[in-house]
Amino acid sequence: MKKRLNVPSLIFIVVMVTALGIFTGCSKKTADTGETSAAADLPTVVNIGTQQISNDESIAKAKHFFDDLGVTVNLREFESGASVVSALASGSIDLGLVGTTPAVTAISNNLGVEIIWIHGILGKSEALAVKNDSGIDSVSGLAGAKVGVPFGSTAHYSLLSALSLNNVDASLVTVLDMQPADIYAAWQRGDINAAYVWDPTLTKLLTDGKLIATSEDLAKLGAVTADIEVVRKEFGDKYPELVAEYIKILSKAQAIYHDNIDEAAAILADYFEITAEDSKNQILGNVWLSAREQLSPQYLGSSGNPGALAEALKKTADFLVEQQSIKAAPDISVFQKAVNPHYIDLSLN
């Protein structure tokens, strides 16, 4: 039986945070004077949703930069952006790394999240691979194939875009909802002919596979995707300085990449236990933007002057409506409001 291309509906649970929750402030005694002073307006712990992706956040994790955030940091690893969005909806995490497609789903479902950072514009690090013995040499040859992809991800959006742009009848392709680890296992068993996925899983597939389309190729045709950071608006509004400090940490990690890409590759190679060559290829597969570059009209824009990212999100939403993945696409103004460059501004001051 062939699966439909519809993204399964996410079940979102909205959780109220009580006064006795993890964000309750505290007071402390000053060591020198013995006097009690009000503590800084900080939560007891910040919960951050991460993924296994070679980016600035992974460098920060490897170098333990989050130890300097000033609060206890709980890093929770997820396999896909869809899982991160569910955790954001439940209130179990405060910030999360997602792709543009899960972010669009969250915004379209009015989950109260804002986009605050671009980890990378996706290029060759996320792509459509086919097995060498599949007999498939192009996207047009996918009819009759079994393709693994995490539903609701940027990879899923890119796969659907690739089929549409190449005039492939989607009903002739068996698209299976799989997380990256499941994709690799299914690939090894021979259960799938192809997969659209990201590194480091993608690199593993290429030991006996080849690329027939990349997110870089699709971006040139208008299907732009990116890995981005989102924050629960309630959390960001309450702790803006903390969110700005988080961005400073990402900028510190990015500085390593921009100053010495070989050092960045070595850090991530050790962290992910891969070769330095694979590590370098993975980080070169995306475009890393500095904080100031992200504030340009081409990306987030500045406060009061929305950038082109909002337009890309709107385009993604319209496409997902066509695919019956979401019920309706919000107006462009909704996406413009959801892209918030204020925290980057704070981090630069």
Side-chain angles (χ1 to χ4, degrees), residues 97-325:
L97 166 60
V98 300
T100 42
T101 303
V104 165
T105 301
I107 295 167
S108 299
N109 283 281
N110 195 29
L111 293 186
V113 298
E114 293 182 328
I115 296 167
I116 61 171
W117 182 259
I118 299 173
H119 290 285
I121 304 298
L122 299 184
K124 295 178 182 178
S125 67
E126 186 167 296
L128 177 59
V130 295
K131 299 202 75 168
N132 288 333
D133 61 1
S134 66
I136 302 170
D137 296 313
S138 65
V139 176
S140 59
L142 285 176
K146 294 180 180 179
V147 186
V149 65
F151 276 20
S153 66
T154 51
H156 191 197
Y157 167 70
S158 294
L159 172 62
L160 300 182
S161 297
L163 295 176
S164 177
L165 290 166
N166 287 274
N167 299 312
V168 177
D169 185 348
S171 66
L172 300 179
V173 182
T174 302
V175 180
L176 303 171
D177 182 12
M178 296 180 174
Q179 295 302 312
D182 299 323
I183 286 175
Y184 181 57
W187 181 278
Q188 290 183 304
R189 292 193 303 268
D191 294 344
I192 56 177
N193 315 103
Y196 208 122
V197 70
W198 50 85
D199 278 321
T201 301
L202 177 63
T203 297
K204 295 178 182 179
L205 302 187
L206 295 180
T207 58
D208 63 339
K210 60 187 177 183
L211 300 180
I212 59 173
T214 70
S215 293
E216 181 180 54
D217 300 329
L218 295 171
K220 293 175 182 177
L221 299 174
V224 178
T225 52
D227 284 331
I228 57 181
E229 191 72 19
V230 298
V231 65
R232 289 192 298 110
K233 188 176 185 306
E234 179 185 12
F235 183 87
D237 287 347
K238 190 171 184 180
Y239 306 112
E241 296 294 340
L242 180 60
V243 176
E245 287 299 317
Y246 165 79
I247 289 177
K248 285 182 181 180
I249 287 173
L250 297 182
S251 292
K252 180 180 178 181
Q254 271 213 5
I256 297 175
Y257 167 85
H258 289 296
D259 294 343
N260 189 338
I261 191 170
D262 289 329
E263 181 184 356
I267 292 169
L268 292 172
D270 182 62
Y271 185 68
F272 287 119
E273 298 182 343
I274 57 178
T275 67
E277 181 181 3
D278 283 345
S279 178
K280 190 170 183 177
N281 288 335
Q282 288 181 23
I283 62 179
L284 287 174
N286 295 332
V287 177
W288 295 38
L289 302 167
S290 69
R292 293 197 182 279
E293 287 175 326
Q294 295 195 31
L295 295 177
S296 72
Q298 187 178 356
Y299 301 109
L300 270 65
S302 56
S303 298
N305 295 291
L309 177 61
E311 297 173 11
L313 298 174
K314 170 61 174 171
K315 183 175 181 179
T316 301
D318 290 339
F319 181 84
L320 293 177
V321 170
E322 291 176 9
Q323 296 295 324
Q324 299 180 9
S325 298

Side-chain angles (χ1 to χ4, degrees), residues 19-27 39-47 69-74 94 235 238-239 242:
L20 295 178
I22 61 174
F23 307 122
T24 302
C26 61
S27 63
D41 183 21
L42 293 174
T44 303
V45 62
V46 57
N47 297 287
L69 196 57
V71 297
T72 299
V73 177
N74 177 28
D94 309 304
F235 183 87
K238 190 171 184 180
Y239 306 112
L242 180 60

